[in-house]
Amino acid sequence: MTISILMPALSPTMTEGKLAKWHVKEGDAVKAGQVLCEIETDKATMEVEAVDEGTIGRILIAEGTENVAVNTPIAILLEEGEDASAIKDTGGEAPPAKPAEKKPEAKPEPAKAEAPKAEAKPPAPKQEAASAPAAPKTADGGRIFASPLARRMAEQAGLDLARIKGSGPNGRIVKVDIEAAAKSGQAKAGAAPRPAAAPQAARSREDTVVPHNNVRKVIAKRMTESKQTIPHFYLTVDCRIDALLEARRQLNGKSEKIRVSVNDLIIKACAVALRDYPDVNASWSDEGMVMHGGIDVAVAVATERGLITPIVRDADMKGLAQISSEMRDLAKRAREGKLKLEEFQGGSMTVSNLGMYGIKEFAAIINPPQSCILAVGAGEERIIAVKGQPVVANMMSVTLAVDHRVVDGARGAEWLRSFKGYIERPATMLL
């Protein structure tokens, strides 16, 4: 009996999503746990794995199709011993495909210039060639099959996919193959495959429209809602970070396995300051004030798809080494679109750090339903007065954006004073 593969609900609020990419084609044999496709939700692109074994008999929804409703059949799986004729015999399978095919959809059509670029297959490799080797070739001209994640990892590690043997279905190169090649030190790429021809190509002066992905749409909606409905106010303070930098140096010198960043120390300081002022660890609701039981600090991470905010849970109770390890893992998987729902939904407050870009000071927009976000600027040497004498010190400006419905100005200032104290005397946050 044929099995319908349905559009999964990847979050409690998800009603539809975009079928971003198929990893299988009709006629392919699949095993349980094998990646079938990538679904783009409102926060990330997630891989969907096969639950059953069989053969892909028919793909009902083409990749790139947006607004596919949850529980819509997206493909039909044939069980062992069945062939394509079984699909025709299951009268209930085929009809759902037709409403689904209406989805590719009225929205892209008004801008006709964008539809061929987004969905027509011939132009796609040209677009990708500038950023990643989407379809590398072997020495004899044959195509190399590799997952998108494997391609990205290979590019970042400087590995030549043509020198790597795939262990996935039909010899497909997958994540474990890249990890093994990186450890062995083999398959290092020679000269970069990007020729100088791209910069020399004639530049077109025609405007193009790039369709928004789901993440960008949600960011736009939530940030607009935040600025329109949340009464923001902002508090800025300068922190002297000489002691913080020295503490970090000592921690990182203790063991090669420990690599604590300034951001890790900021996460810890935020968490213990929230513990000092539990009424700041709250969110607004029409029914009443939501007082959060856990102290969970979200961190803004820039990805190719947009901004994602993975969360360090119970950050006040974790050591710096654990925070550092968790944050590296969360940031890596955020950029790969591999976060689980519970890893980026919720949170007490958010830390947004643009210091690495040389930004001295900025004000961030609150990420609802949270009530606070801390914008962190760059650490830099400044001349300050100490007991009437000019002194060169490492300083860092931070700006707290606060929801005035939840936190009043005086309480926000007290929280920020507590945070500043932990930053300037880092040993106290370990008590």
Side-chain angles (χ1 to χ4, degrees), residues 341-362:
L341 293 172
E342 62 270 19
E343 292 176 323
F344 60 81
Q345 290 187 345
S348 301
M349 70 177 297
T350 295
V351 172
S352 180
N353 190 341
L354 294 180
M356 67 287 294
Y357 299 104
I359 302 301
K360 179 179 179 180
E361 180 183 328
F362 70 105

Side-chain angles (χ1 to χ4, degrees), residues 5 24-25 49 58 82 127 130 149 180 182 197 260 271 277 307 325 330 337 352 355 366 391 393 407 413 415:
I5 300 173
V24 295
K25 61 183 183 297
E49 298 180 350
R58 182 177 299 171
E82 291 182 324
Q127 301 247 343
L149 173 58
V260 175
Y277 293 94
L307 203 64
S325 176
L330 288 167
S352 180
I366 294 170
V391 174
V407 180
W415 182 92

Side-chain angles (χ1 to χ4, degrees), residues 246-310:
E246 176 60 21
R248 175 176 178 262
R249 186 191 68 78
Q250 292 180 13
L251 288 169
N252 289 341
K254 185 177 180 181
S255 169
E256 292 184 359
K257 295 181 179 179
I258 298 177
R259 283 294 175 265
V260 175
S261 69
V262 170
N263 213 47
D264 298 328
L265 289 155
I266 291 171
I267 293 169
K268 180 69 175 181
C270 283
V272 291
L274 285 173
R275 188 173 61 195
D276 291 344
Y277 293 94
D279 52 344
V280 179
N281 188 29
S283 298
W284 175 267
S285 78
D286 292 336
E287 293 74 25
M289 203 69 75
V290 180
M291 310 303 293
H292 300 301
I295 297 178
D296 307 325
V297 180
V299 180
V301 175
T303 74
E304 293 179 357
R305 304 173 186 87
L307 203 64
I308 305 295
T309 53

Side-chain angles (χ1 to χ4, degrees), residues 5-76:
I5 300 173
L6 305 180
M7 183 70 166
L10 299 175
S11 74
T13 58
M14 178 179 169
T15 58
E16 59 184 27
K18 176 180 177 181
L19 206 160
K21 184 178 182 61
W22 279 106
H23 287 270
V24 295
K25 61 183 183 297
E26 293 182 0
D28 283 357
V30 298
K31 298 180 179 179
Q34 180 180 339
V35 174
L36 297 178
C37 60
E38 295 178 12
I39 302 296
E40 190 175 291
T41 70
D42 60 353
K43 272 293 186 182
T45 299
M46 299 185 178
E47 293 181 342
V48 175
E49 298 180 350
V51 177
D52 303 291
E53 295 187 356
T55 302
I56 300 296
R58 182 177 299 171
I59 290 177
L60 303 175
I61 304 295
E63 64 180 46
T65 303
E66 297 186 4
N67 305 323
V68 182
V70 168
N71 292 329
T72 297
I74 59 175
I76 296 175

